[in-house]
Amino acid sequence: MKDKLRNILGSFFISVTLINIAMLVLGSLLMPEQRFGYEVFIYPIIYGVIGIIPALITRDGKELSVKQTLVKNAVQMLMTVALILAFIFGGHPVDRNLIMTAVFVAVSVVLIYAGVIAISWFLDKKTADMMTEDLVRFQNRSADKGT
Amino acid sequence: MEINIKNIDPSQKEYIEIGCWRVNERVNEIVRFIKLRDGHVEAYKDEKQYRIALSDILYVEAVDDRCFIYLDKDCYESRRRLYEFESLLPSDNYIRISKSVVVNLMKIVQIRPALNGRFLCHLVNGEDVIVSRKYVPDLKARIRGDRS
């Protein structure tokens, strides 16, 4: 559980950073004239929290294969897209403009999700490379001992 | 039960002798334990019994209530439980990497990232076994030599 929370927290902070970038890009494209107050700083955190809800409520009881984990991540991503769209556009009348914005937001969420996974994977890759180096040294030590 | 240990001349072959009234399950268990410490484990394939050298084992996996020993190309079934393997296999070279797998560290070629903070151990026969998040710190400590 502790490891899961640590992992989710890592994903949360990466998400918040990427959401900031996405808001900058999307805002510049869709509503460049829009001006905000200080309250705008809370939105990346709110979206980040919404983004980790699917991971928090998904059970981790069984050991999943890599393929099963990919499917699980895809399901969690779709849940995140649905939650964020509901949070942003829930209760608003559906028109052409809203649909276009929703598509941009959905694509951004998918890109952010993929970005979080890619960044986490590259960090793990660095750890894995270090572990492989340690492993080779361990194997050489063991071979020298004749075990 | 009385235990006698006798020093013998280095020119003689080492041996273990058990004196018992009759060979029962308890005696068989002691024999199995000694054989395992001697570097071999008994396993089964197609209802035939085999002696497998511990150094040949790539990993041991528990599936439901059964335990399987994986070698380079073959797979054998064992009547032992995974926790028994964990305690009986030489702790220098074998480590638990998930709820269901004990791996031989000498048979890992490379460690690669999997998803969600897990890792994959790529073995000499091309197979991959998953290291669960929970067991990653133990694996790191063992290969770094933090724990003997």
Side-chain angles (χ1 to χ4, degrees), chain A residues 123-138:
Chain A
L123 292 173
D124 285 347
K125 171 88 171 68
K126 205 177 158 196
T127 307
D129 289 344
M130 284 166 61
M131 285 169 75
T132 302
E133 285 171 21
D134 286 340
L135 178 74
V136 171
R137 279 194 286 272
F138 170 87

Side-chain angles (χ1 to χ4, degrees), chain B residues 1-145:
Chain B
M1 185 189 290
E2 195 180 346
I3 297 173
N4 294 317
I5 299 172
K6 191 167 82 177
N7 285 321
I8 57 169
D9 192 82
S11 61
Q12 287 180 280
K13 197 178 173 187
E14 286 182 309
Y15 67 93
I16 293 168
E17 195 174 63
I18 299 171
C20 59
W21 292 325
R22 60 189 174 87
V23 178
N24 56 18
E25 187 47 41
R26 189 165 156 236
V27 174
N28 283 333
E29 180 65 28
I30 294 168
V31 171
R32 279 200 295 272
F33 177 81
I34 292 165
K35 280 181 178 173
L36 192 64
R37 299 304 296 184
D38 196 31
H40 288 83
V41 63
E42 286 166 3
Y44 301 84
K45 187 179 180 183
D46 300 329
E47 294 175 5
K48 284 183 190 168
Q49 189 177 339
Y50 296 87
R51 275 186 91 204
I52 295 170
L54 297 184
S55 56
D56 289 342
I57 296 175
L58 268 63
Y59 65 100
V60 181
E61 182 178 32
V63 181
D64 298 326
D65 284 338
R66 302 164 77 189
C67 225
F68 297 93
I69 299 170
Y70 290 84
L71 275 56
D72 199 8
K73 291 190 177 96
D74 294 311
C75 173
Y76 298 85
E77 187 172 351
S78 172
R79 288 174 187 165
R80 290 182 177 276
R81 300 294 182 121
L82 194 66
Y83 66 85
E84 291 182 75
F85 276 105
E86 205 184 0
S87 58
L88 291 175
L89 287 169
S91 60
D92 287 345
N93 291 353
Y94 292 83
I95 188 169
R96 183 98 166 229
I97 55 165
S98 69
K99 266 196 277 188
S100 58
V101 174
V102 171
V103 74
N104 183 349
L105 290 168
M106 301 302 282
K107 301 292 185 183
I108 301 172
V109 177
Q110 191 188 18
I111 298 171
R112 294 195 297 226
L115 292 166
N116 291 3
R118 301 180 307 166
F119 292 89
L120 285 174
C121 290
H122 187 64
L123 304 177
V124 288
N125 66 345
E127 275 189 74
D128 290 322
V129 283
I130 289 177
V131 187
S132 300
R133 277 194 301 248
K134 184 185 165 188
Y135 294 90
V136 171
D138 280 350
L139 177 62
K140 278 185 186 171
R142 178 72 64 82
I143 58 181
R144 269 201 310 255

Side-chain angles (χ1 to χ4, degrees), chain A residues 39-63:
Chain A
E39 77 283 354
V40 77
F41 290 108
I42 197 68
Y43 282 99
I45 295 166
I46 293 171
Y47 298 145
V49 169
I50 293 171
I52 61 169
I53 289 172
L56 280 172
I57 60 172
T58 315
R59 279 190 65 192
D60 247 3
K62 200 180 140 198
E63 194 68 57

